[in-house]
Amino acid sequence: METTTLSTKYQLVLPKALRESMNFKPGQRFMVRASEHGIELLPCEPVSALRGFLEGANTGLDDIRTRDDRV
């Protein structure tokens, strides 16, 4: 576990080993939230990065009732 220091401008530097292991890039955006364990950084992914994540999912509408079935 490495440590970092909060600067006078309230900025933190993530250690290089962490940045490399998590594949963080300059300019990447994060959501920040407080948790019971401390602070969580959640990378914001562009919508384009989600393309194909449901590959193989059943998208058929065979099991959905039609309007006439909802009496």
Side-chain angles (χ1 to χ4, degrees):
M1 182 178 298
E2 297 187 46
T3 63
T4 189
T5 303
L6 186 65
S7 76
T8 57
K9 294 182 178 183
Y10 298 97
Q11 296 173 332
L12 290 174
V13 174
L14 299 177
K16 183 178 182 179
L18 176 67
R19 293 191 313 262
E20 290 176 346
S21 70
M22 299 296 292
N23 200 29
F24 293 152
K25 302 292 182 205
Q28 187 172 354
R29 298 180 62 89
F30 296 87
M31 291 188 300
V32 181
R33 71 176 182 193
S35 74
E36 62 186 52
H37 303 289
I39 298 171
E40 296 179 352
L41 295 176
L42 305 167
C44 297
E45 296 293 334
V47 174
S48 62
L50 300 176
R51 183 180 185 101
F53 86 101
L54 290 176
E55 184 176 341
N58 180 6
T59 58
L61 300 177
D62 298 334
D63 61 339
I64 296 178
R65 296 182 298 164
T66 63
R67 183 178 298 275
D68 296 334
D69 293 336
R70 295 185 238 153
V71 179

